[in-house]
Amino acid sequence: MSKQDTRFFNTFSVVIGLLIVIAIGIFALARVVASETQDKQVLEEAQYLKSVEGHLQPIAKEAISGADNAALAIKPDAGSADAAGSASGGPAAPKSGEETFTQVCSACHGAGIAGAPKAGDKGAWASRISKGKEVLYDHALKGFQGSTGVMPAKGGRVDLSDDLVKAAVDHMVDMAK
């Protein structure tokens, strides 16, 4: 073997050795970086999957006649206080007829929307009051569609108790007298 061949093999061996050391260094660096970011990715991936699962849930569930629909009942948040509001993040559930009127009924009966008689308008309420409170209760609880307008059942708040709706009707009748 000539001197040039030996020199070439020595130089070539050094270059190959350096490339192997660089490759091992890059591999070690990649392992360190991966170990730092894999834990984070696992956490973020779990949150992402939970978010996707939440988006895939049905928007609403329907009550089926004759089936057990107890799971569909509107329930307040476990830790909600009166001032904190209902489960939907809205105002607290009303506790009296006046509160029910303020929170629910006044939306239509305050401005006369959809043909609703305005609260306190004696002329508009006189013919309705003359039919008796039982008719007013029935229309408020079950809903009513008359020639002048529409009354949704329980004012659209089906989560209200019948007693609260009746108390709100009594409050509006008192305002019209």
Side-chain angles (χ1 to χ4, degrees):
M1 223 175 180
S2 74
K3 208 176 187 182
Q4 281 183 332
D5 288 342
T6 308
R7 195 168 171 200
F8 171 77
F9 282 121
N10 287 343
T11 306
F12 185 74
S13 298
V14 170
V15 169
I16 294 295
L18 285 174
L19 288 175
I20 290 173
V21 168
I22 290 172
I24 291 173
I26 290 173
F27 179 75
L29 180 64
R31 295 286 291 174
V32 168
V33 169
S35 69
E36 294 291 322
T37 59
Q38 262 183 335
D39 293 337
K40 215 181 234 186
Q41 182 182 1
V42 168
L43 290 175
E44 289 175 0
E45 187 173 319
Q47 290 172 341
Y48 174 75
L49 290 175
K50 192 174 185 180
S51 170
V52 168
E53 185 177 314
H55 291 353
L56 293 177
Q57 295 298 320
I59 295 172
K61 295 181 181 178
E62 295 181 10
I64 300 171
S65 178
D68 180 20
N69 295 310
L72 301 177
I74 297 174
K75 300 171 190 148
D77 285 340
S80 68
D82 289 341
S86 66
S88 64
K95 293 181 179 25
S96 68
E98 187 174 351
E99 285 182 23
T100 303
F101 168 77
T102 303
Q103 290 182 16
V104 181
C105 309
S106 64
C108 295
H109 288 282
I113 295 173
K118 290 184 180 181
D121 184 351
K122 294 178 184 185
W125 279 95
S127 64
R128 291 169 172 87
I129 292 172
S130 68
K131 293 178 184 177
K133 280 193 177 181
E134 288 305 316
V135 172
L136 291 174
Y137 291 156
D138 185 59
H139 290 174
L141 291 170
K142 297 177 183 173
F144 178 73
Q145 184 165 357
S147 59
T148 60
V150 177
M151 170 66 196
K154 293 187 177 184
R157 283 279 306 266
V158 294
D159 61 317
L160 294 175
S161 70
D162 291 356
D163 292 335
L164 275 176
V165 175
K166 289 178 180 180
V169 169
D170 292 338
H171 177 70
M172 285 190 280
V173 167
D174 290 342
M175 291 172 63
K177 288 184 178 180

